[in-house]
Amino acid sequence: VIRSDLEPEQGQRGRAPALLLLADAESAAGDLLQALPAAPRSGAAARRVAQIRGRVSDALTPVQRAGCALLDQLARHAPDGIFIGDSAQPVYAGLTVFAPPRTGAFFSSATGYGTLGYGLPAAIGAWIAAPDRPVFCLIGDGGLQFSLPEMGSATEIGAAITMILWNNHGYGEIRNVMVGAGIAPLGVDIHSPDFAALAKGYGWQHIRISDLADLDRCLAETGPLPRVIEIDEMGMISATLS
């Protein structure tokens, strides 16, 4: 594993790389491409990536499977879409095996720095940059409360955003890590507000769904934007496994 990162400590997180390049990702990638010998495209690399992705998919947890199924569904519906991920369960899952339909279509803050709340303002920025493309914000109920007032900003400029709100009634990822480590959960079971009422107050449409069939129906409807599609995590997991 060769890893490029600006931050030495971050570069050692997860699987330790054989070589850590302390560099900007874009410049490092450009230098690596120049150093590599020219070779015909045989397709072997793509086949190997597909095999690895398949093995990783087989090892996913139920919540990760549900998150990846959600992302795949969104990509099938909007192959030209832009998918903005906050620090949220479906985004963590997507970082493992999700293959967006085009480059420059999947942006995420779920890199280990705990940047909760990034998703909504970043989605607004994506819509400003590309108002002719569908923009999806994937965010959890905990993360949204870090930048909730930006729903008003989106309304003010008429940003046609679809927010996919993954509700696990707290900081689900942190809670799972605590439980897995044998630590009594602390500070992770936060109050979850009435998002339907909040959406109405900010001028957003709100829809609550429980499975991917419901999501298909919502996406097929040409209702007003911006809108919130709220998903209950446990309901989605059950529907995905059934």
Side-chain angles (χ1 to χ4, degrees):
V1 174
I2 300 174
R3 180 165 180 172
S4 172
D5 205 294
L6 287 172
E7 170 56 45
E9 183 176 349
Q10 179 72 6
Q12 295 292 342
R13 293 185 64 147
R15 180 177 176 181
L19 177 63
L20 173 62
L21 306 177
L22 293 178
D24 170 80
E26 183 176 5
S27 60
D31 291 342
L32 285 172
L33 286 172
Q34 289 184 5
L36 289 172
R41 297 188 175 216
S42 64
R47 289 193 295 272
R48 184 174 175 225
V49 168
Q51 291 171 354
I52 294 171
R53 182 176 284 123
R55 291 199 297 270
V56 172
S57 297
D58 292 340
L60 294 179
T61 65
V63 67
Q64 290 171 332
R65 289 178 185 276
C68 288
L70 169 65
L71 282 164
D72 289 342
Q73 190 94 330
L74 292 174
R76 284 193 295 269
H77 170 78
D80 60 338
I82 302 175
F83 309 96
I84 308 294
D86 203 78
S87 291
Q89 292 279 24
V91 182
Y92 301 141
L95 291 174
T96 61
V97 295
F98 175 57
R102 57 188 288 184
T103 58
F106 184 36
F107 301 88
S108 165
S109 67
T111 57
Y113 288 106
T115 46
L116 288 158
Y118 159 93
L120 179 54
I124 295 173
W127 179 84
I128 292 172
D132 56 331
R133 293 174 61 185
V135 176
F136 298 89
C137 168
L138 293 100
I139 194 166
D141 56 296
L144 177 57
Q145 295 183 69
F146 278 77
S147 54
L148 187 62
E150 298 303 331
M151 292 183 72
S153 301
T155 300
E156 289 168 3
I157 64 172
I161 295 169
T162 296
M163 179 194 298
I164 306 297
L165 176 58
W166 187 270
N167 194 341
N168 54 24
H169 307 283
Y171 300 124
E173 175 71 10
I174 304 173
R175 183 197 301 126
N176 292 344
V177 171
M178 286 180 165
V179 171
I183 301 171
L186 177 65
V188 292
D189 295 309
I190 61 174
H191 172 70
S192 198
D194 184 341
F195 290 109
L198 288 170
K200 181 179 180 181
Y202 280 113
W204 289 51
Q205 181 190 18
H206 178 275
I207 307 164
R208 187 177 286 109
I209 67 171
S210 59
D211 58 37
L212 293 178
D214 287 341
L215 178 61
D216 260 346
R217 287 190 289 271
C218 287
L219 296 175
E221 295 173 356
T222 56
L225 296 173
R227 64 181 169 182
V228 178
I229 300 177
E230 183 176 349
I231 299 173
D232 177 73
E233 180 181 86
M234 292 309 299
M236 182 62 75
I237 294 173
S238 298
T240 303
L241 294 177
S242 61

